[in-house]
Amino acid sequence: MTGDTDLSPARLRHARIAIAAVFCAHGAVTGSFATRIPWIQDHAQLGAGTLGLALAFPALGAALAMPLAGRINHRFGARTALRGLLALWTLSLILPSLAPNLPVLCLALLVYGATAGMSDVAMNALGVETENRLGRSIMSSLHGMWSVGALLGSAAGTVAAHAGTDARLHHLVAALVLTAAGLVAVQGVLDLRSAEGAEAPPHFALPPKSALLIGAMGFCAVFAEGASLDWSAVYLRDVLHTDAGLAAASTTAFALTMAVARLVGDRVVDRFGAVRTVRAGGVLATLGGLLVVAVRTPAGALTGFALIGLGIAVVVPLAFAAAGRSGPAPAQAIAGVATITYTSGLIAPSAIGAVADATSLVVSFGLVTVLAFALVVGASVLRPKPSAGRSGSGLCAKAGPMADLDERADIRP
């Protein structure tokens, strides 16, 4: 990559703050949408099954559009591409609450998912490039800022739901505010461009075999995240019969613990290593899932969703780091793992709805609990391999600081 020749410490610190603000704005859209899903469900007159069908369309939109993000970056440069894609994402928040029925909602969520996927790829790619130039890990804290944004968005949504505010008005105001904030933040990110004559990236990158199990760990964590964000409020309302304000608070509890865990995640991983951190997180997430499905009280569910968020928080950043060290082509491995993990998050809401329609929401979150336990069983696939991928290029060109710390923490008798 070329461009932005000023790589002084002050410039890089400013770029890190700017990309963190972008992550925050992106997360706020998700939080704003998730808390008003019960309102959207009632407005469009949908049952659990038809809501689950509608929530499959973000996955379809993302699957169709995510491969375009790399080419957009290549053609316009990282900053310009991110500016346009982020604005499309924040403005797409307006669409779902306007839908009066299932077909229109599906179309709105198709656009919502497409813009989500492209902007997500663009900001994560720029986050990794910023990390490379800093020479130290920042991805966990960037994902933490995404969770802070989701928390802020869900907190505002909780207030709006409790006040009985029409979601159309709520989402219009939120979209305009987040679009303005995002455009300001993007001005400070690194302005990177593909080198002269560089070949355009492929439309789709399959993960190498060495990264498949790593992707599976990311799949489990992101499935639990997507299910909890989009269905926790519905679970409290329909299964536990709480009011709209308390139901929306479950999303806030989940987002809060995700944010805290990710913001301190780098320190925890440095101290205990990737494997032990993920294994302990899997235990917490499994306990949280058991509380949700077994206790059947609002307090138990709120605590359970909080523990799920705490347990899965750092898995995705660690999966990206492990993918970069898993073989001779780190960039391809990271692209493949990202495809697996983010597709999981977009598929999860519709899968939960399908299971709920066939059985119940309690059974759906039983599935989430099983996937959380899979993190306990499979955490060892994130163990660093010091001989793999250290000379690679691309997104992991400077993954050394995190890798060295992981080796000291995890390669033990």
Side-chain angles (χ1 to χ4, degrees):
M1 302 285 286
T2 62
D4 217 326
T5 55
D6 180 8
L7 297 179
S8 64
R11 173 68 184 105
L12 290 175
R13 284 195 298 270
H14 185 258
R16 180 185 178 179
I17 293 171
I19 193 64
V22 169
F23 271 74
C24 186
H26 194 285
V29 177
T30 301
S32 299
F33 169 71
T35 53
R36 305 313 303 270
I37 287 176
W39 188 98
I40 293 170
Q41 180 183 13
D42 289 344
H43 180 67
Q45 299 180 344
L46 306 178
T50 50
L51 177 61
L53 173 63
L55 291 174
F57 276 78
L60 177 59
L64 294 173
M66 282 175 71
L68 301 176
R71 296 210 163 210
I72 293 172
N73 264 10
H74 176 80
R75 178 172 180 180
F76 297 103
R79 181 190 289 172
T80 301
L82 182 59
R83 180 186 295 118
L85 293 175
L86 183 66
L88 288 175
W89 163 237
T90 52
L91 290 172
S92 74
L93 175 62
I94 299 171
L95 300 178
S97 60
L98 297 177
N101 52 46
L102 178 62
V104 177
L105 180 60
C106 289
L107 180 61
L109 291 177
L110 184 76
V111 176
Y112 177 86
T115 57
M118 290 191 293
S119 57
D120 201 311
V121 170
M123 74 180 188
N124 272 282
L126 193 49
V128 171
E129 293 291 349
T130 305
E131 178 180 86
N132 289 346
R133 284 153 179 77
L134 283 166
R136 55 191 172 87
S137 173
I138 63 169
M139 288 304 290
S140 179
S141 60
L142 290 182
H143 282 256
M145 288 304 298
W146 187 95
S147 294
V148 168
L151 170 64
L152 293 174
S154 64
T158 299
V159 172
H162 187 71
T165 303
D166 190 304
R168 292 167 291 191
L169 175 61
H170 165 212
H171 284 169
L172 173 62
V173 173
L176 294 177
V177 170
L178 292 173
T179 300
L183 290 175
V184 171
V186 171
Q187 286 300 109
V189 304
L190 294 177
D191 188 14
L192 303 177
R193 299 178 181 276
S194 298
E196 186 77 22
E199 185 179 352
H203 286 292
F204 184 77
L206 288 172
K209 292 180 181 179
S210 58
L212 288 176
L213 289 177
I214 296 170
M217 290 295 95
F219 180 96
C220 293
V222 177
F223 190 99
E225 179 181 352
S228 299
L229 275 174
D230 282 1
W231 283 95
S232 58
V234 178
Y235 184 92
L236 263 79
R237 187 194 65 177
D238 291 356
V239 176
L240 303 180
H241 308 295
T242 65
D243 60 38
L246 185 58
S250 64
T251 307
T252 304
F254 177 83
L256 175 62
T257 53
M258 285 276 291
V260 171
R262 282 176 169 169
L263 289 172
V264 303
D266 289 332
R267 297 179 186 177
V268 175
V269 174
D270 291 350
R271 174 67 179 84
F272 297 104
V275 174
R276 292 180 180 178
T277 300
V278 171
R279 188 164 287 147
V283 170
L284 290 176
T286 302
L287 177 60
L290 290 173
L291 284 174
V292 170
V293 301
V295 173
R296 304 283 188 90
T297 65
L302 289 170
T303 303
F305 285 120
L307 287 174
I308 292 173
L310 182 63
I312 66 175
V314 300
V315 176
V316 171
L318 290 178
F320 287 159
R325 299 188 297 270
S326 66
Q332 182 184 359
I334 288 177
V337 168
T339 300
I340 294 171
T341 56
Y342 289 114
T343 299
S344 168
L346 294 166
I347 288 174
S350 59
I352 292 296
V355 174
D357 193 46
T359 55
S360 69
L361 270 176
V362 176
V363 174
S364 294
F365 279 98
L367 173 61
V368 171
T369 305
V370 171
L371 293 177
F373 185 71
L375 297 175
V376 181
V377 176
S380 61
V381 305
L382 301 180
R383 190 180 306 280
K385 297 175 177 60
S387 62
R390 290 307 179 84
S391 61
S393 60
L395 296 180
C396 278
K398 295 185 180 179
M402 177 185 282
D404 292 340
L405 290 165
D406 281 347
E407 287 165 25
R408 291 198 296 270
D410 278 340
I411 300 180
R412 298 169 178 162

